[in-house]
Amino acid sequence: MKRVFLRNRIVVIFLTVFMTGGFCFAQSPSTVTEDFKPSSVNQPGKDYPQVNSEGRVRVQISAPGANKVQLDIGAVKYDLAKDEKGFWIGESAPQDEGFHYYQLWVDGAAVPDPGSLYFYGASRWGSGIEIPAKDQDFYALKNVPHGQVIELPYFSKSNNSMRRCFIYTPPGYDKDARKRYPVLYLQHGGGENETGWSNQGHANLIMDNLIAGNNAKSIIIVMDNGTWNMARPPAGGCPTGEWPPKGWADGFTKTLLEDIIPMIDTNYRTLADQHHRAMAGLSMGGMQTRVITLAYPEVFSYVGIFSGGSISTEDLAAAPGFKEKVKLVFVSYGSRELENPRAGFGGNPKENQDKLKDAGLNTHFYVSPQTAHEWQSWRRSLNEFAPLLFK
Amino acid sequence: MKRVFLRNRIVVIFLTVFMTGGFCFAQSPSTVTEDFKPSSVNQPGKDYPQVNSEGRVRVQISAPGANKVQLDIGAVKYDLAKDEKGFWIGESAPQDEGFHYYQLWVDGAAVPDPGSLYFYGASRWGSGIEIPAKDQDFYALKNVPHGQVIELPYFSKSNNSMRRCFIYTPPGYDKDARKRYPVLYLQHGGGENETGWSNQGHANLIMDNLIAGNNAKSIIIVMDNGTWNMARPPAGGCPTGEWPPKGWADGFTKTLLEDIIPMIDTNYRTLADQHHRAMAGLSMGGMQTRVITLAYPEVFSYVGIFSGGSISTEDLAAAPGFKEKVKLVFVSYGSRELENPRAGFGGNPKENQDKLKDAGLNTHFYVSPQTAHEWQSWRRSLNEFAPLLFK
């Protein structure tokens, strides 16, 4: 188990650097293609931020009294320049296709850009931007039958408090009251919350489009919050020097098994058995998926780990029943993560998947082209994973 | 009809002053009660903004390089003071109980407070704060059966575009597939959108609590966007000097009657007739409710106008069928609105209601104590209106 913690420790360090924007330098792009357009996730009527065909982000903000304003995106801060009317403007280096969190710094104050919509990530509601992707059609809002995204408050006995989850029900859910559906429990990453998979992940649109194209079965997706329980110290305290501490996922495991799954099976028309239940997650949510499905293979049939590690043959040996009961182990990464020597998370995920296949498991390994530890990798991962479910 | 436009013009002017923070002066409260607590709508883990028992708002932001930072709330800007660590801190005068939009100014940049949750109002996503109210129990999140808030994308033929609405379904909606429900179409105000009634209005929690106490019938509430259509110029152009122009509500009327209501009646288990259909709205949404229900009394039985004008006997005379078909005209205001000579909107709403009652209509007039043109008035209005519906 030591190896597991070490592996997780690397993930946490990686996420910390990724999310806090640890690097700081100015950059003046020498040549910039002047075909900027407003981002698709701007607030209504707002012209900025903008994106050009190179994937550069240009921001503009009125701050006539400011001394220094910066754009902070992809862990780099870019100095903006002030015009004669008091507007600060400037652009970033090219960004990967897909969704990115960012913020502005105005004389040392880190603030959201007033022009963008806001998303929960890096443990805050903040600005996001969308770099148009060549494959963006799979998560586009189209005139196809749409499922619902339901916000539901519920009481959690194991936490003695109210919680909130989001539930995707597929098109037609309310039409045939006799039909029951399989369920995917889908978790966000560290510093994110239960809004991530629908707001920036477009899980609902990905499913709507897959279902409209007859490329996936109609399923229910449950998106709850895995963060609230993680910080709870495990019984007996944290062993010195171990991070995450032993039992780091126990709180969410208990909430998921004792509260969330029974609540969903009671209130929605689910097929409430192991054969029709999947779990997946990104980054920290992938780590939770890994730990929980290894410990409870009698609960879940399908396992999806997106940028969150993989399952080794040692893990398999220590998880009785997993090999016999689990029908799919799906592991994915962004290609840029695999180029990063820190990103393997203590083992080569492709090699681990190959060994699981040799051991007789049904495995699938996916690499998102030209993306890093970011939402475009996870949107694509869901788009690859969902068609494999409940066959 | 001239009087109607004049009345509406006054509303628009009033809203403009209200929303843009038109006044600007500094204030240093002489004595401040030091019992500040984090606002209930702070982002997770954020200590600021805070509120004290007087209803003052205290904000804090790190901006070590800034020259001037202000808190902008209730149309007043308050200068903050900088401490030795680069934090700016300061507080407002006492605010009314309930919800308020606000923003910060950092060296001339108007930005959301990074500590608060964000809400759509004043035509932007921005900061909000909650001043604890003596009657806050009626919209509190409690361990009672909860309805769902559903986000649904749908295609609008009349606009040839995708739209989004939020739909509240009451507790137990998915339990009995034979049961059908009456529907309330509930509209936001100017500069707000389809998220307002659930995010800052707590319409879902108000209904959950009313239903749990057996104080209102279980209903479906539909919250769509009335803004998108308002700006569309009416056929034939705008007569000079008239604002809102003749036909200002035609776009939303068409969308509501041709797209929204049929879509809801097709996809949800509604009682799809006039007897079981209500419309209400706040401010601009109340003005829309007034215009639409006067023109289509065969569609709606119950009418709620919150801080959005009232119906005169002249209106009644010009609306054939309204008197015979409509079962309730509910009009409400915040008490501070009625103290403001501009707030009557061209007629005394209480007198208008009395005259309607004399004319034989079932009327209800409600005044929210010690509140202005703000969400606490509208939360209370819904809490008074809903128990009167579908008796």
Side-chain angles (χ1 to χ4, degrees):
Chain A
M1 287 299 277
K2 188 83 188 290
R3 215 175 124 203
V4 175
F5 296 138
L6 252 182
R7 190 182 300 170
N8 290 339
R9 184 175 188 169
I10 293 167
V11 176
V12 170
I13 293 168
F14 181 73
L15 290 180
T16 304
V17 171
F18 171 73
M19 288 177 174
T20 55
F23 310 107
C24 175
F25 55 87
Q27 170 165 343
S28 300
S30 49
T31 60
V32 171
T33 306
E34 282 300 333
D35 57 358
F36 286 91
K37 291 180 185 141
S39 160
S40 62
V41 291
N42 279 6
Q43 294 190 29
K46 296 294 175 76
D47 289 332
Y48 287 87
Q50 299 187 341
V51 183
N52 78 353
S53 56
E54 300 170 285
R56 293 185 196 270
V57 173
R58 175 173 282 174
V59 295
Q60 179 187 275
I61 185 170
S62 171
N67 307 307
K68 186 178 187 182
V69 182
Q70 293 174 306
L71 162 63
D72 179 358
I73 187 168
V76 176
K77 289 177 183 159
Y78 302 89
D79 287 343
L80 308 184
K82 188 180 180 179
D83 73 11
E84 69 283 358
K85 291 177 181 167
F87 285 92
W88 294 78
I89 192 162
E91 53 275 322
S92 74
Q95 306 293 310
D96 287 347
E97 295 186 349
F99 176 88
H100 304 276
Y101 301 112
Y102 76 100
Q103 62 186 353
L104 301 180
W105 290 82
V106 180
D107 283 347
V111 293
D113 183 340
S116 84
L117 292 179
Y118 303 133
F119 304 86
Y120 196 74
S123 299
R124 63 173 181 240
W125 284 94
S127 290
I129 196 153
E130 194 69 55
I131 311 294
K134 283 183 275 301
D135 59 346
Q136 63 188 0
D137 193 60
F138 79 85
Y139 52 87
L141 175 63
K142 302 184 210 175
N143 184 11
V144 297
H146 286 278
Q148 309 174 130
V149 174
I150 295 166
E151 178 185 351
L152 182 72
Y154 67 96
F155 181 74
S156 159
K157 275 189 195 164
S158 75
N159 295 280
N160 192 30
S161 66
M162 294 299 299
R163 289 175 60 95
R164 175 175 77 158
C165 76
F166 287 86
I167 301 146
Y168 167 82
T169 59
Y173 179 83
D174 280 328
K175 294 283 185 187
D176 180 354
R178 290 160 308 180
K179 190 168 177 191
R180 293 185 162 270
Y181 298 85
V183 186
L184 165 62
Y185 292 84
L186 185 60
Q187 290 304 124
H188 58 82
E192 297 170 339
N193 70 10
E194 68 274 23
T195 64
W197 266 111
S198 52
N199 277 3
Q200 55 263 48
H202 297 318
N204 54 325
L205 301 180
I206 291 170
M207 288 309 304
D208 290 343
N209 290 335
L210 283 171
I211 293 166
N214 207 21
N215 291 317
K217 292 207 169 182
S218 291
I219 63 174
I220 293 169
I221 301 180
V222 177
M223 299 162 280
D224 209 300
N225 191 316
T227 307
W228 295 350
N229 302 77
M230 198 178 118
R232 176 185 295 180
C238 303
T240 313
E242 265 186 6
W243 183 259
K246 186 168 179 170
W248 69 276
D250 288 357
F252 181 64
T253 304
K254 187 175 168 70
T255 302
L256 179 63
L257 297 181
E258 296 182 14
D259 287 315
I260 302 173
I261 293 176
M263 186 274 289
I264 294 294
D265 284 337
T266 301
N267 290 286
Y268 296 89
R269 296 196 315 279
T270 64
L271 291 161
D273 59 33
Q274 188 260 0
H275 297 291
H276 299 93
R277 201 178 288 125
M279 184 174 182
L282 72 92
S283 193
M284 180 189 80
M287 293 160 60
Q288 289 170 325
T289 299
R290 181 182 163 284
V291 170
I292 293 171
T293 58
L294 280 169
Y296 297 92
E298 72 278 15
V299 179
F300 303 95
S301 282
Y302 297 81
V303 177
I305 304 173
F306 310 159
S307 304
S310 57
I311 290 174
S312 68
T313 46
E314 294 94 320
D315 295 332
L316 195 65
F322 189 91
K323 182 179 159 183
E324 295 73 23
K325 290 177 181 149
V326 167
K327 291 186 183 162
L328 172 68
V329 176
F330 177 102
V331 168
S332 67
Y333 276 94
S335 67
R336 298 196 205 286
E337 293 185 278
L338 297 178
E339 295 159 13
N340 185 324
R342 293 179 306 189
F345 301 173
N348 183 314
K350 176 70 167 69
E351 279 176 18
N352 278 347
Q353 285 289 83
D354 288 345
K355 285 181 190 167
L356 286 197
K357 191 178 282 287
D358 292 344
L361 273 100
N362 179 32
T363 61
H364 193 96
F365 187 67
Y366 171 69
V367 178
S368 164
Q370 306 297 312
T371 60
H373 197 79
E374 58 199 8
W375 275 97
Q376 194 68 2
S377 303
W378 307 322
R379 291 168 174 169
R380 289 173 178 165
S381 295
L382 178 61
N383 194 50
E384 298 289 323
F385 179 60
L388 307 176
L389 292 177
F390 310 115
K391 292 254 177 175
Chain B
M1 290 297 278
K2 187 83 189 291
R3 223 178 118 200
V4 175
F5 295 137
L6 251 183
R7 192 182 299 167
N8 291 340
R9 183 174 189 172
I10 293 166
V11 175
V12 169
I13 293 168
F14 181 72
L15 290 182
T16 304
V17 171
F18 170 73
M19 289 178 174
T20 54
F23 309 107
C24 174
F25 56 85
Q27 172 166 342
S28 300
S30 50
T31 60
V32 171
T33 306
E34 283 299 334
D35 57 357
F36 285 91
K37 291 179 186 142
S39 159
S40 63
V41 290
N42 279 6
Q43 294 190 28
K46 297 293 175 77
D47 289 332
Y48 287 88
Q50 299 188 341
V51 183
N52 78 353
S53 55
E54 301 169 285
R56 293 184 197 271
V57 173
R58 174 174 282 173
V59 293
Q60 179 187 277
I61 185 170
S62 171
N67 307 306
K68 186 178 185 181
V69 182
Q70 295 175 304
L71 161 64
D72 179 358
I73 187 168
V76 177
K77 289 177 183 159
Y78 302 90
D79 287 343
L80 307 185
K82 189 179 180 181
D83 72 12
E84 69 283 0
K85 291 178 180 165
F87 285 92
W88 293 78
I89 192 161
E91 53 276 322
S92 74
Q95 305 293 309
D96 287 346
E97 294 186 350
F99 176 87
H100 304 277
Y101 301 112
Y102 76 101
Q103 63 185 352
L104 302 180
W105 291 82
V106 180
D107 283 347
V111 293
D113 183 341
S116 85
L117 293 178
Y118 304 133
F119 304 85
Y120 196 75
S123 300
R124 62 173 182 239
W125 284 95
S127 290
I129 196 154
E130 195 70 54
I131 312 295
K134 284 182 275 301
D135 59 346
Q136 64 189 359
D137 193 60
F138 79 84
Y139 52 87
L141 176 63
K142 302 183 210 175
N143 183 12
V144 298
H146 285 278
Q148 308 174 130
V149 174
I150 295 166
E151 178 184 351
L152 182 72
Y154 67 97
F155 181 75
S156 159
K157 276 188 194 165
S158 75
N159 294 280
N160 193 29
S161 66
M162 294 298 300
R163 291 174 59 95
R164 176 175 76 156
C165 75
F166 287 86
I167 301 145
Y168 168 82
T169 58
Y173 179 83
D174 280 327
K175 294 283 186 185
D176 180 354
R178 290 160 308 180
K179 191 170 177 189
R180 293 186 163 269
Y181 298 85
V183 185
L184 165 62
Y185 292 84
L186 186 60
Q187 289 304 123
H188 57 84
E192 296 171 338
N193 71 8
E194 68 274 21
T195 63
W197 266 110
S198 53
N199 278 3
Q200 54 263 47
H202 298 317
N204 54 327
L205 301 181
I206 291 170
M207 288 308 305
D208 291 342
N209 291 334
L210 283 171
I211 293 167
N214 206 21
N215 291 315
K217 292 207 169 181
S218 291
I219 63 173
I220 293 168
I221 301 180
V222 176
M223 298 163 280
D224 209 299
N225 192 317
T227 307
W228 294 350
N229 301 80
M230 199 177 117
R232 176 185 295 182
C238 304
T240 312
E242 265 186 6
W243 184 259
K246 185 169 177 169
W248 69 277
D250 287 358
F252 181 64
T253 304
K254 187 175 166 71
T255 302
L256 178 63
L257 298 181
E258 296 182 15
D259 287 315
I260 301 173
I261 293 177
M263 185 275 288
I264 294 294
D265 284 338
T266 301
N267 290 286
Y268 296 89
R269 298 197 314 278
T270 64
L271 290 162
D273 58 34
Q274 187 260 1
H275 298 291
H276 299 94
R277 201 178 289 124
M279 184 174 182
L282 72 92
S283 193
M284 181 190 81
M287 293 160 58
Q288 289 169 325
T289 299
R290 183 183 161 284
V291 170
I292 292 172
T293 57
L294 279 169
Y296 298 93
E298 71 278 16
V299 179
F300 302 95
S301 282
Y302 296 81
V303 176
I305 304 174
F306 310 159
S307 303
S310 58
I311 290 174
S312 68
T313 46
E314 293 94 321
D315 295 331
L316 195 65
F322 189 90
K323 181 179 160 182
E324 296 73 23
K325 290 177 183 150
V326 168
K327 291 186 183 163
L328 172 68
V329 176
F330 177 102
V331 167
S332 68
Y333 276 95
S335 67
R336 299 197 204 284
E337 294 185 275
L338 298 178
E339 294 159 14
N340 185 325
R342 295 180 304 190
F345 301 174
N348 183 313
K350 176 68 167 69
E351 280 176 18
N352 277 347
Q353 284 289 82
D354 288 344
K355 285 180 189 167
L356 286 196
K357 191 178 280 289
D358 292 345
L361 272 99
N362 179 31
T363 61
H364 194 96
F365 187 67
Y366 171 70
V367 178
S368 163
Q370 305 296 312
T371 60
H373 198 78
E374 58 199 7
W375 275 97
Q376 193 68 2
S377 303
W378 308 321
R379 292 168 174 169
R380 288 173 178 165
S381 295
L382 178 61
N383 194 49
E384 298 289 322
F385 180 59
L388 307 175
L389 292 177
F390 311 115
K391 293 253 177 173

